[in-house]
Amino acid sequence: MTTANAARHQASMSKLKALLVSNAGASALVLRVPLGVILAAHGSQKLFGWFGGYGLEATGQWMASVGFAPGYLMALMAGSAEFFGGLALILGLLTRPAAAVAAFTMLMAMTVHLGNGLFVSNNGYEFALILLAASLSLVFSGGGKLALDNQLAKS
């Protein structure tokens, strides 16, 4: 490996470690696990119709009806972000990227509910807002001491 290539490799490894390393301690676990469970459950509703969900086809039709077209693709993307991102958050695996994708998904969810006001009892955006805030917190803090990210950072 040339000196220039070695320097580029070292720089990219440094960036990867910065993405994975977290000084959040155990507090991130307290946020990651419930957030991950909620996201994975909601994603499974969209993808598989579990827990009273409608599955991809019906969720896709609804997404198209509220302006997210093509609906099936949007349902697949949102469901995957929630389900697989939620699982990643539970494990603390690629926490920051998973949380960033979840945050974006919640931001998009908020756009559907904004016209209904804050409260979820009126189909408002409060649930999406708190999930957005929790996700953004993990983007900044990382997975914490008890996350698989730490094992990746060591290698």
Side-chain angles (χ1 to χ4, degrees), residues 2 21 36 48 56 79 93 102-103 120 129 147 154:
T2 67
V21 171
F48 314 119
L56 270 176
L93 181 63
V120 75
L129 177 62
K154 288 179 186 176

Side-chain angles (χ1 to χ4, degrees), residues 9-36:
H9 176 72
Q10 185 64 30
S12 62
M13 291 308 290
S14 178
K15 288 177 187 175
L16 178 62
K17 286 189 187 221
L19 179 73
L20 298 172
V21 171
S22 170
N23 295 320
S27 64
L29 178 71
V30 175
L31 189 56
R32 274 192 302 106
V33 172
L35 176 62

Side-chain angles (χ1 to χ4, degrees), residues 4-155:
N5 284 343
R8 278 193 291 274
H9 176 72
Q10 185 64 30
S12 62
M13 291 308 290
S14 178
K15 288 177 187 175
L16 178 62
K17 286 189 187 221
L19 179 73
L20 298 172
V21 171
S22 170
N23 295 320
S27 64
L29 178 71
V30 175
L31 189 56
R32 274 192 302 106
V33 172
L35 176 62
V37 168
I38 290 167
L39 288 171
H42 279 269
S44 72
Q45 289 180 311
K46 291 174 182 69
L47 294 176
F48 314 119
W50 296 350
F51 306 113
Y54 299 106
L56 270 176
E57 196 64 44
T59 302
Q61 290 171 4
W62 176 81
M63 287 193 147
S65 78
V66 296
F68 291 107
Y72 187 89
L73 177 61
M74 295 297 124
L76 179 63
M77 289 172 54
S80 295
E82 291 174 354
F83 182 73
F84 296 109
L87 294 179
L89 290 176
I90 292 167
L91 298 171
L93 181 63
L94 300 174
T95 302
R96 284 187 172 101
V101 170
F104 179 77
T105 303
M106 291 305 106
L107 189 60
M108 293 299 99
M110 284 179 62
T111 67
V112 174
H113 299 280
L114 272 176
N116 300 321
L118 175 65
F119 298 105
V120 75
S121 59
N122 295 325
N123 201 25
Y125 60 89
E126 73 177 316
F127 185 63
L129 177 62
I130 194 62
L131 296 180
L132 168 66
S135 297
L136 285 176
S137 176
L138 289 171
V139 169
F140 294 119
S141 73
K145 185 169 103 174
L146 302 170
L148 288 179
D149 288 343
N150 297 313
Q151 299 305 313
L152 289 177
K154 288 179 186 176
S155 45

